[in-house]
Amino acid sequence: MENFVFHNPTKLIFGKGTIPKVGEEIKGAGIKKVLLLYGGGSIKKNGVYDQVVDSLRGNGIEWVEVSGVKPNPVLSKVREAIEVARREKVEAVLGVGGGSVIDSAKVVAAGVLYEGDIWDAFVGKYNIDKALPVFAVLTISATGTEMNGNAVITNEETLEKYGVSSKALYPKVSIVDPSVQATLPREQTVYGAVDAIAHILEYYFDGSSPEISNEIAEVTIKTIMKMTERLLADPNDYEARANFAWCTTIALNGTMAVGRRGGDWSCHRIEHSLSALYDIPHGAGLAIVFPAWMRYVYDERPEQFERFARKVFDLEGSGEELILNGIEAFKGWLRKVGAPVTLKDVGIPEQDIEKIVDNVMLLVEENLKPRKATFGKLKALGRDDVREILKIAAK
Ligand code: NZQ
Ligand code: ZN
């Protein structure tokens, strides 16, 4: 087991009927005016917006709104919201929505206090060390953004989708009421499941193998799979929603990182290029990339891939056959719940592979500090490796 520090400063308020607490929490932090940021309007249809503004009003909190944050959130919307936040002199940012909204809220909170263009933080020219306080009301469980310091934004002019990570970006308070997720379209529940499983697997396959973290990872993946199937059968199954939601939070709030090597994150890097170039949902991209990456790298740590097959899919046997059966079982489950598993499934032609490789490597070769021509923990990947993985993912 590697040494570790576990420090998660976010206060998480979880459960049915918890959204009306938001005003009290903001008031308790001594804040009188917030920027309320949200997406394309789902919160107006399912009553979340009303719950939030009633609570703000009831606690004497003033607010200004910016709406229209889109999935795979873009830099221009962030810049627009930063201007509004500055002009209106808000003291905090409240994101109400999913990863796209809350990530945008974090970047706006940092951008308000940074003199330059906040895109600098995404290309290694600025380390975010300060931000306005961020509050979050989560409406889709997937990314773990409600309890981490990460944010991912697309620069739609250059088609670059990059992430930032900072202690300053952890939400001060996040509210998760799983019952409001009953209105999610089926595929969004599935993409949320895939994303959370991918977060767990990024850590699981980073070359480390601490027993407690392995066990927690396996049981969390199995619980997500079970809860997803229940939710597809009945979107109003609250117990399934709640269990699912907590699994997705712990998938990326530091729990899965314990005793490990920081995670591999190759699949996320490759996926971010798919969602930057084709605007597909993050979870859909991961369902395509992850099994292909597994096939390409399992030789680096076969015993961990055998363990995955045995513990997550209850398969028997040994060696390469067991590993390949495990990867196929994973792919089979993804297909069963309706996720795409090939580039072809989302209409990306094989001829585009070189363009995708270029986008992935742009990030690696030009924009990361320190400059390095490979990425990934379990196996360092360069251009040729990315091309081979995408070929496996093609059909
Ligand atoms: O915009 P609205 O109308 O609200 O609709 C949203 C959106 O269309 C809808 N939705 C959300 N809650 C709903 C609902 N519809 C009905 N009922 C509800 N209760 O769902 C759609 C997807 O929302 P989005 O926020 O895009 O989903 P998600 O939470 O999966 O976020 C994805 C983004 O987060 C990034 C991804 O790359 C992607 O850009 N990630 C963020 C991470 C982080 N901060 O730690 C890590 C991840 O690896 C990921 O990269
Ligand atoms: Zn993810």
Side-chain angles (χ1 to χ4, degrees):
M1 192 182 242
E2 305 286 333
N3 293 359
F4 67 93
V5 174
F6 191 104
H7 182 174
N8 191 313
T10 299
K11 174 178 178 182
L12 192 87
I13 302 177
F14 187 99
K16 210 181 271 183
T18 49
I19 294 175
K21 291 185 192 293
V22 68
E24 192 185 314
E25 289 294 330
I26 294 172
K27 188 175 165 187
I31 288 158
K32 297 193 178 63
K33 185 170 182 181
V34 299
L35 176 76
L36 168 56
L37 193 64
Y38 58 96
S42 69
I43 64 165
K44 292 226 164 149
K45 288 188 208 132
N46 63 10
V48 170
Y49 175 86
D50 289 338
Q51 291 191 55
V52 169
V53 298
D54 286 352
S55 174
L56 294 177
R57 212 176 278 120
N59 285 280
I61 314 284
E62 265 188 80
W63 76 91
V64 284
E65 294 183 17
V66 173
S67 64
V69 174
K70 66 176 245 6
N72 295 323
V74 290
L75 183 61
S76 57
K77 180 56 77 176
V78 166
R79 286 180 178 145
E80 174 196 329
I82 290 171
E83 273 187 37
V84 174
R86 282 192 181 135
R87 190 173 65 233
E88 296 286 338
K89 300 193 169 38
V90 304
E91 298 157 81
V93 184
L94 167 60
V96 182
S100 296
V101 169
I102 296 170
D103 284 7
S104 299
K106 291 174 177 179
V107 180
V108 171
V112 170
L113 300 186
Y114 177 61
E115 285 139 33
D117 178 8
I118 196 59
W119 186 248
D120 288 352
F122 293 82
V123 291
K125 293 184 189 156
Y126 167 52
N127 281 325
I128 295 174
D129 56 2
K130 53 185 182 301
L132 293 179
V134 174
F135 294 81
V137 173
L138 186 76
T139 64
I140 167 172
S141 287
T143 60
T145 188
E146 67 278 11
M147 209 174 184
N148 69 41
N150 310 332
V152 185
I153 296 291
T154 300
N155 182 332
E156 70 271 44
E157 282 170 17
T158 59
L159 293 179
E160 293 166 287
K161 183 177 184 183
Y162 300 158
V164 287
S165 199
S166 164
K167 283 195 187 107
L169 297 182
Y170 279 80
K172 195 169 172 57
V173 179
S174 281
I175 297 185
V176 180
D177 176 347
S179 71
V180 305
Q181 299 186 28
T183 52
L184 277 174
R186 284 172 74 84
E187 69 275 10
Q188 290 296 343
T189 297
V190 169
Y191 298 148
V194 177
D195 192 19
I197 291 172
H199 295 157
I200 298 166
L201 292 181
E202 294 278 16
Y203 287 112
Y204 189 82
F205 291 125
D206 74 351
S208 63
S209 195
E211 186 63 19
I212 178 65
S213 298
N214 279 342
E215 292 281 343
I216 292 174
E218 290 147 4
V219 87
T220 310
I221 293 171
K222 287 172 86 158
T223 308
I224 293 170
M225 288 168 42
K226 213 189 295 171
M227 296 307 126
T228 304
E229 291 174 27
R230 272 173 62 174
L231 289 169
L232 292 179
D234 176 10
N236 292 303
D237 180 343
Y238 178 76
E239 280 306 306
R241 251 336 143 191
N243 278 278
F244 181 101
W246 182 236
C247 287
T248 64
T249 300
I250 62 171
L252 198 52
N253 76 343
T255 307
M256 299 298 160
V258 166
R260 294 206 184 270
R261 298 175 60 216
D264 181 273
W265 302 109
S266 301
C267 292
H268 269 72
R269 182 148 305 158
I270 298 171
E271 192 300 306
H272 284 162
S273 288
L274 294 183
S275 44
L277 292 169
Y278 304 97
D279 206 13
I280 59 170
H282 176 58
L286 287 170
I288 295 165
V289 175
F290 229 107
W293 174 83
M294 288 167 82
R295 277 198 92 96
Y296 191 70
V297 302
Y298 69 78
D299 259 354
E300 302 292 318
R301 190 97 190 190
E303 64 279 15
Q304 188 76 354
F305 285 84
E306 284 189 48
R307 183 183 167 121
F308 172 76
R310 217 178 292 119
K311 301 277 285 191
V312 177
F313 289 100
D314 303 319
L315 297 174
E316 288 172 4
S318 64
E320 195 170 39
E321 192 186 350
L322 175 63
I323 293 170
L324 293 175
N325 286 342
I327 297 170
E328 276 314 300
F330 180 36
K331 218 168 152 180
W333 183 81
L334 293 168
R335 217 182 263 122
K336 179 171 127 190
V337 295
V341 289
T342 63
L343 293 174
K344 194 164 166 232
D345 287 346
V346 290
I348 301 175
E350 211 170 334
Q351 302 89 278
D352 278 18
I353 285 179
E354 213 48 45
K355 180 171 93 177
I356 305 168
V357 173
D358 283 344
N359 191 284
V360 173
M361 297 314 289
L362 179 75
L363 179 88
V364 179
E365 290 167 357
E366 292 179 22
N367 288 312
L368 281 189
K369 275 183 179 175
R371 285 162 192 263
K372 51 179 185 173
T374 60
F375 61 92
K377 259 297 151 61
L378 184 64
K379 179 177 170 66
L381 304 179
R383 247 170 204 278
D384 295 343
D385 304 300
V386 176
R387 188 180 303 109
E388 290 311 311
I389 290 167
L390 289 167
K391 278 190 195 161
I392 298 172
K395 45 188 182 265

